[in-house]
Amino acid sequence: MKYLKLSKEVKLFITVIFLFGLTSSAFNGFLGIYVKEIGYDEAVVGGLLSLRRFSVAGSAVVMALLASRFGRRNALAFALTTISLSAILMVSTKNIWFMQLMCITSGIGQSTLMTFEAPFLFSKTNEETRIHAFSASFSAKNAAFMIGSLITGLLADVFATMFLADYLGVRYALYVVSLSSLVALIPLFLIKGEKTRNEQKIEFSKIKDVYSVKLVKMLSYTMIIGFGAGTIVPFFGIYLKYMLDLSDSGVGSILAIAQMGTVLGGLIVPYLMSRFGRYQLVTMLQMGSIPFLILIGVPMNIVLVSLAFFFRSSLMNMAQPILQNLYMELADDTYRPLISSLRSTTNNLARALGILLGGFMMEHISYNSPYAVTIGCYLVGTILFRHIFMKEKLQERKALISG
C-alpha cells in the first residue's frame, strides 16, 4: 500500500494533526452545549462560535506572512500551545466576554495550523504518494473527531454525575481533551529537516502575483460551501441534545459514528479518484450528501438520524483531500502557505457568517430551518465547481477512458 510508503516526517505530522483533532472535535461538538448549560441562548452560542471563525479568517494571512519569517515549526508550536491553553481557559469561566477573548486567541492558533497543513504535506511528498498523504491526514483528523467526540461525551456524563451539574461535566471533559494539543508538541519536534528560522519568505509586495481567475472562482466556491456548512454543522451537538433529548454521551456517540464513515471514506479516496477522476468524484460526493442532509433536518427516530449523520458527513467531507491538493497546485512552494491561508480566510469568514444566521434561525424560527439554506448552498457550490473545472473534467474523463 502506498500509505506505507509515506515518509517518517509525514507520519509524524499526521500524528500532530490527530492529537490536535481531539481538542478540535471536543469543542466543535460540546462548546455550544457548555454555553447553553450555563444559561445562554442559541443566538449567544452562534455569536461565540462565529467569533472563533472570524478570528481564524482575520489572522490566517497574517500568520502565513509571520511564519515565513520565524519558521514553520515555531509557528506550529505556537499554534498548538495557544489552542490548548485558550481551550482550557475558555471553559473555566461563565463570563461571556472572557470566553469571547479566548475564542479569538484559539482562532489565531487554529488559523496557523490550518495554514501550514496542506503546504507541509505537499512539500514532503511526490506525485505518487501525495493524494495518499492528504487522504491519510484527512482520515487521521476525522478519526480524532470520532474518538474525541466519543470520549468527551462519556467523560461529560461521568463528571456530571460526580459534580451533580451538567455544565461542570462538560467543563472537566473539555479540560481533559484539551491537553492533547500540548501532547502534539512531542511528535512536532521529532520532525527533522524543518528549519526554525529564515525559511522561504513570502514577500508582501508579491502577494498580488498569486491571484488568478481560477483562484478567485475556487475561493467563491469555498465561500458558498462554507456559508452553508456554518449554518448547521456547529449546531449539530445542540440539535441532537435539545431536539432529540439525548444525553451528552448519546450526542458524542452519534457524532463519533458520523466521523467513522468519514475516516473510512477518506482512505478510499485515492481508489475512487483513479476510477472516476478527481473532478467528477468531488461532484458525485457533494451531490450525494444532500439527500441525507434533508433526512437530518426532518425529525425522526435515533437510528435514522445516526445513519443520516453517517452518510452526510462521509460523502460531503470525503472531497477535502482532493480540494486541498487542487488549491496547492495553484502556486509554487513559497506561496502555498499564502494560498492555504486565503482558502482558510474565505472558508472561516463564510462559516462565521453562516453560524450567525444559523443561531438566529434556530432561536427565532426552528432548529430545522437552517437546513434549507445549507441545501441551497451545497447545490449552488457544486454547480460552480463543475463550471470551474469543466475543461479539466472532460480531459480527465478522456484519459480515464483511453487508459
Side-chain angles (χ1 to χ4, degrees):
M1 291 180 64
K2 291 183 181 178
Y3 287 110
L4 299 177
K5 296 181 180 179
L6 297 176
S7 68
K8 181 181 178 181
E9 286 74 22
V10 170
K11 292 174 181 176
L12 283 169
F13 186 73
I14 289 172
T15 303
V16 172
I17 294 298
F18 173 82
L19 291 169
F20 156 72
L22 294 176
T23 300
S24 182
S25 68
F27 279 80
N28 288 346
F30 289 88
L31 179 59
I33 292 175
Y34 174 77
V35 177
K36 280 277 291 179
E37 290 295 332
I38 60 176
Y40 296 101
D41 59 30
E42 288 82 3
V44 174
V45 172
L48 192 65
L49 296 176
S50 67
L51 187 61
R52 184 172 61 165
R53 292 290 182 176
F54 279 125
S55 176
V56 173
S59 61
V61 173
V62 175
M63 294 310 298
L65 293 171
L66 290 175
S68 72
R69 269 74 176 165
F70 296 105
R72 189 157 55 186
R73 179 185 289 169
N74 287 340
L76 292 172
F78 163 79
L80 293 168
T81 304
T82 302
I83 289 167
S84 184
L85 296 180
S86 298
I88 291 170
L89 292 172
M90 194 186 309
V91 293
S92 296
T93 180
K94 295 183 181 180
N95 185 303
I96 196 65
W97 299 106
F98 186 73
M99 294 178 72
Q100 289 172 343
L101 177 62
M102 290 301 101
C103 271
I104 293 172
T105 57
S106 176
I108 292 171
Q110 188 175 340
S111 72
T112 307
L113 193 65
M114 293 168 66
T115 293
F116 285 97
E117 177 187 354
F120 180 93
L121 293 173
F122 200 96
S123 68
K124 298 292 184 180
T125 54
N126 55 35
E127 188 173 349
E128 180 186 11
T129 59
R130 187 160 293 141
I131 190 62
H132 291 79
F134 278 104
S135 294
S137 176
F138 172 76
S139 292
K141 187 187 306 179
N142 282 280
F145 288 173
M146 176 182 69
I147 296 169
S149 297
L150 190 60
I151 290 175
T152 306
L154 292 172
L155 287 176
D157 278 351
V158 171
F159 287 133
T161 302
M162 290 173 59
F163 297 104
L164 303 177
D166 286 346
Y167 83 92
L168 288 177
V170 177
R171 173 184 289 178
Y172 289 115
L174 291 175
Y175 280 167
V176 173
V177 184
S178 296
L179 295 174
S180 63
S181 289
L182 288 179
V183 176
L185 291 170
I186 298 173
L188 175 64
F189 284 105
L190 291 175
I191 297 175
K192 297 179 180 179
E194 283 295 297
K195 297 178 181 179
T196 55
R197 287 185 178 273
N198 297 323
E199 293 182 354
Q200 294 168 304
K201 294 182 179 180
I202 299 174
E203 299 298 333
F204 189 80
S205 61
K206 295 183 179 179
I207 289 179
K208 63 181 184 298
D209 294 341
V210 306
Y211 277 96
S212 64
V213 173
K214 180 166 285 187
L215 174 60
V216 172
K217 288 181 179 180
M218 280 290 286
L219 292 174
S220 299
Y221 156 79
T222 296
M223 179 179 65
I224 294 168
I225 296 295
F227 183 83
T231 60
I232 61 166
V233 173
F235 299 99
F236 277 160
I238 291 176
Y239 178 85
L240 292 170
K241 184 174 178 68
Y242 300 105
M243 188 73 175
L244 300 178
D245 195 28
L246 297 181
S247 65
D248 289 333
S249 59
V251 172
S253 296
I254 290 183
L255 293 177
I257 289 170
Q259 295 301 329
M260 185 187 303
T262 308
V263 172
L264 298 175
L267 292 174
I268 64 171
V269 163
Y271 166 75
L272 293 175
M273 197 176 78
S274 66
R275 185 176 179 86
F276 298 104
R278 55 185 180 175
Y279 308 109
Q280 179 67 15
L281 182 58
V282 170
T283 302
M284 289 168 56
L285 292 172
Q286 294 187 347
M287 292 298 286
S289 73
I290 292 175
F292 298 101
L293 188 60
I294 295 171
L295 288 176
I296 295 172
V298 178
M300 52 188 169
N301 67 60
I302 194 65
V303 175
L304 290 177
V305 168
S306 299
L307 289 173
F309 264 87
F310 178 90
F311 285 107
R312 188 224 72 91
S313 180
S314 304
L315 293 170
M316 192 62 199
N317 291 317
M318 278 171 64
Q320 289 306 310
I322 301 173
L323 294 171
Q324 283 183 308
N325 202 13
L326 288 174
Y327 265 103
M328 291 301 95
E329 290 176 359
L330 296 175
D332 61 25
D333 193 51
T334 301
Y335 290 95
R336 283 187 189 118
L338 180 59
I339 292 289
S340 185
S341 69
L342 289 172
R343 181 195 180 201
S344 178
T345 295
T346 303
N347 180 47
N348 282 280
L349 182 60
R351 283 178 180 257
L353 295 172
I355 290 169
L356 290 176
L357 178 62
F360 177 85
M361 293 179 72
M362 284 189 170
E363 182 181 1
H364 295 283
I365 304 176
S366 71
Y367 275 27
N368 312 89
S369 57
Y371 286 81
V373 176
T374 304
I375 291 166
C377 287
Y378 282 8
L379 284 170
V380 172
T382 304
I383 292 170
L384 177 59
F385 180 85
R386 283 177 59 87
H387 170 74
I388 295 169
F389 293 103
M390 182 62 72
K391 182 179 179 180
E392 290 89 341
K393 177 176 173 291
L394 292 174
Q395 291 174 344
E396 186 178 61
R397 191 62 182 166
K398 289 179 182 177
L400 288 170
I401 293 172
S402 61

